[in-house]
Amino acid sequence: MLVVAFAVTLGRLRRAETELDQLRREHGYLEPTTESEIAASRAPSDQPLTYRARVRVPDQPRYRVCYSTLWP
């Protein structure tokens, strides 16, 4: 039973790692930082002249994430 449980756990881990790799390719990757730091990175975009970003902010104090754009 222990070997069967280990095999099931290993299969779930591989699926989760595959999904994580796909999400990192699609949405970018934020390097690990401390809980009190703000982190941001530009994510890959599937359309030309389109920009995507990921931002991580601490839970406390509360932050509001805003952005602006200029349209010529």
Side-chain angles (χ1 to χ4, degrees):
M1 276 314 261
L2 187 58
V3 173
V4 172
F6 179 74
V8 169
T9 302
L10 186 61
R12 288 181 181 172
L13 178 62
R14 286 187 180 161
R15 282 193 304 270
E17 286 177 344
T18 302
E19 183 178 351
L20 179 61
D21 288 340
Q22 179 183 359
L23 287 171
R24 284 181 175 162
R25 280 192 309 274
E26 291 175 1
H27 302 289
Y29 176 68
L30 292 178
E31 294 292 330
T33 58
T34 63
E35 293 289 326
S36 62
E37 292 182 330
I38 297 173
S41 72
R42 192 176 90 194
S45 176
D46 56 347
Q47 298 176 0
L49 300 175
T50 302
Y51 300 96
R52 296 167 59 188
R54 294 185 69 196
V55 178
R56 181 177 54 223
V57 296
D59 290 336
Q60 295 295 327
R62 296 182 64 95
Y63 287 90
R64 180 182 294 172
V65 177
C66 301
Y67 72 95
S68 68
T69 59
L70 291 173
W71 296 94

